[in-house]
Amino acid sequence: MKIAFLTSGGNAPCLFASIGRLLHNYSNLDSIELIGYRNGFSGLLKGESEIFLLSNFSNSNFEAYYDFGGSPIGNSRVKLTNRQDCIDRKLIQEGEDPLEIAANQLMNDKVDILHTIGGDDTNTTAKDLCSFIKSNGLDITIVGIPKTIDNDIFPVKRSLGAYTAAEAGARYFSNIVNENNMSSSHLIIHEIMGRNSGWLAAKTADYYCNIAEEKKQKIKIADSLAFYNPKRFDIHGLYIPETLVSFDDEIDRLQRIIKDIGCINIFVSEGAFIKEISRQVESDGSLIDKDAFGHIKLDSINTGKWLSDIISKDIEIDRVLIQKSGYFSRSSAPNKSDLDYIFKVCDFAFDNALKSNSGVVGEDERTGELSCIDFNEIRGDKGLDINSKWFLDLVSRIEN
């Protein structure tokens, strides 16, 4: 039996570990071959793969996989139904069908099981490939594993690596926040990844609030620091795509804060104001870059800069600092909680792959059970539930 892996989309703190756990499971079987396609679907189209030699594996080898972020076989963003993009990127020739090329490559490589580790774009692309394979009577099982730091895949309750990314982003800001001592009127904007979901920004804020509380308690018990206002560690604004912001009211509120403590600390999801920024960019006659899946390339939007301009226009700021924790967070190795969850999901994926069950393995939020979810039920851009208790508690902590 031959098993193949590919990782696709952006980095997340689960890719190395997921492959390691799957390799661990498959290594216990007899007559197994294992390969990884380089750089996701790009490598599948080009027939570029690496061989995992079972003779090189021992328990200590598998342990090493759990200590790294990123992917050992690389990622890319390729949509197999976007033929023109595949042609433009020289992945296929004119007149060729990417789905057919990918399916033929799997057949030529004699792959029995393909594991696609990625987000909604990866697994909806896996759905298209799975449908093509079935319609052509081919016998290849495709089992997807949900990876995205945005935690925005429906109906998956928890994406692998998301909690680690949030925790890492909080640790990142726990250092950055000390920069607000560099002037008497300071604005720090912490821009966090997330296109249409504010989950990562909110969960990062949630983790950070715990860190801030520890710092504030230490300040309070230090008699010689009685002059220092512990509110300088607080988050003074959280902006996410799921909530509306009235800047007339918000500017007045932020003005009072900076007058009181001399700084403003803002957490913002990079997709929070995407409609407003897009309209402004287009009104200036500029084009907005989009990827193969039709998503706006958020690096070209620069949400933090746009927000700082809005705030600075009406509030006198001596120093503005815009920091993006995304690449730091998504490239982290998984924390203990995520690693335990990775093992749980990958073990279940392994079992379903051996039963020839294609789909995306994850905890189905509709049933609360770990399931092999039909590819056709997977979709992206699941928004944050702003009525959930943990989020309402977070808002209360920020407001108080």
Side-chain angles (χ1 to χ4, degrees):
M1 184 162 55
K2 195 167 190 178
I3 317 300
F5 309 91
L6 66 78
T7 55
S8 189
N11 267 341
C14 66
L15 300 176
F16 237 108
S18 294
I19 290 176
R21 186 61 177 182
L22 289 169
L23 289 174
H24 168 82
N25 288 331
Y26 283 111
S27 69
N28 293 317
L29 303 179
D30 295 326
S31 303
I32 291 292
E33 294 181 73
L34 301 160
I35 65 170
Y37 287 107
R38 295 289 304 173
N39 302 117
F41 289 106
S42 170
L44 176 57
L45 289 174
K46 295 191 290 185
E48 296 176 350
S49 61
E50 300 289 347
I51 299 172
F52 294 100
L53 295 174
L54 287 176
S55 60
N56 290 342
F57 288 122
S58 65
N59 287 335
S60 59
N61 289 138
F62 294 124
E63 290 294 327
Y65 276 79
Y66 310 142
D67 293 329
F68 290 94
S71 169
I73 51 177
N75 304 7
S76 67
R77 296 186 186 276
V78 174
K79 185 176 177 65
L80 295 180
T81 55
N82 190 336
R83 185 177 303 196
Q84 189 58 52
D85 181 67
C86 291
I87 293 171
D88 293 343
R89 295 166 66 172
K90 297 181 171 54
L91 299 176
I92 64 170
Q93 301 295 319
E94 289 279 357
E96 292 182 330
D97 180 356
L99 288 170
E100 183 178 4
I101 297 295
N104 285 341
Q105 187 63 53
L106 291 172
M107 291 298 295
N108 292 338
D109 289 336
K110 299 180 180 179
V111 170
D112 299 290
I113 297 170
L114 171 66
H115 285 289
T116 55
I117 309 172
D120 59 283
D121 288 334
T122 298
N123 286 304
T124 52
T125 296
K127 175 199 73 173
D128 295 329
L129 179 57
C130 190
S131 297
F132 183 90
I133 286 171
K134 287 183 177 180
S135 66
N136 285 273
L138 305 178
D139 186 20
I140 301 173
T141 299
I142 302 180
V143 179
I145 293 175
K147 171 270 339 170
T148 171
I149 60 174
D150 297 346
N151 203 29
D152 65 345
I153 305 174
F154 177 85
V156 176
K157 182 178 181 180
R158 176 176 174 177
S159 299
L160 306 191
Y163 281 78
T164 297
E167 182 183 62
R171 286 191 286 106
Y172 177 92
F173 191 76
S174 70
N175 282 358
I176 297 299
V177 71
N178 300 315
E179 286 287 320
N180 67 28
N181 299 311
M182 296 297 294
S183 75
S184 59
S185 179
H186 200 293
L187 169 64
I188 300 180
I189 294 178
H190 181 195
E191 184 179 323
I192 302 162
M193 287 183 170
R195 175 176 283 104
N196 294 314
S197 172
W199 185 91
L200 183 60
K203 184 55 72 172
T204 302
D206 193 38
Y207 276 114
Y208 173 74
C209 281
N210 295 330
I211 297 174
E213 188 57 36
E214 292 179 4
K215 288 189 173 188
K216 290 162 72 174
Q217 291 302 321
K218 291 178 180 179
I219 290 290
K220 288 179 181 179
I221 63 176
D223 293 338
S224 63
L225 283 172
F227 64 89
Y228 191 85
N229 194 331
K231 291 182 179 179
R232 297 179 76 93
F233 294 124
D234 286 343
I235 299 172
H236 305 119
L238 171 63
Y239 308 131
I240 59 176
E242 292 85 352
T243 58
L244 299 175
V245 178
S246 169
F247 277 108
D248 290 339
D249 297 334
E250 194 67 357
I251 292 298
D252 288 342
R253 186 182 70 85
L254 296 177
Q255 181 76 67
R256 292 192 296 271
I257 291 172
I258 203 166
K259 184 178 180 180
D260 179 31
I261 64 173
C263 68
I264 305 171
N265 303 319
I266 300 293
F267 278 40
V268 60
S269 174
E270 62 185 349
F273 303 105
I274 195 167
K275 292 181 181 178
E276 294 88 338
I277 299 173
S278 297
R279 283 196 294 267
Q280 180 177 312
V281 171
E282 290 171 344
S283 68
D284 292 339
S286 301
L287 295 176
I288 297 175
D289 294 334
K290 295 185 178 181
D291 63 19
F293 294 85
H295 302 313
I296 291 174
K297 292 183 178 180
L298 294 174
D299 283 348
S300 66
I301 293 295
N302 209 346
T303 302
K305 177 64 168 60
W306 180 87
L307 182 58
S308 72
D309 291 342
I310 293 290
I311 295 173
S312 301
K313 183 174 64 176
D314 295 309
I315 299 177
E316 187 174 346
I317 305 290
D318 292 337
R319 186 170 183 255
V320 176
L321 182 63
I322 302 168
Q323 292 289 293
K324 302 181 181 184
S325 62
Y327 295 111
F328 175 87
S329 298
R330 77 180 195 175
S331 298
S332 302
N335 61 21
K336 179 61 166 59
S337 172
D338 254 327
L339 190 57
D340 289 345
Y341 200 70
I342 288 167
F343 283 12
K344 178 181 177 180
V345 170
C346 288
D347 291 353
F348 192 76
F350 167 73
D351 290 339
N352 276 270
L354 295 184
K355 296 174 184 175
S356 301
N357 294 333
S358 291
V360 177
V361 168
E363 192 175 355
D364 192 326
E365 62 185 9
R366 298 167 299 184
T367 64
E369 296 181 357
L370 195 57
S371 307
C372 187
I373 304 168
D374 190 298
F375 276 119
N376 292 303
E377 297 179 46
I378 299 296
R379 64 176 186 270
D381 298 332
K382 178 183 71 175
L384 167 67
D385 180 4
I386 59 175
N387 293 313
S388 59
K389 184 180 183 304
W390 76 267
F391 180 74
L392 294 175
D393 288 345
L394 170 65
V395 171
S396 178
R397 294 170 77 181
I398 292 174
E399 290 178 347
N400 295 328

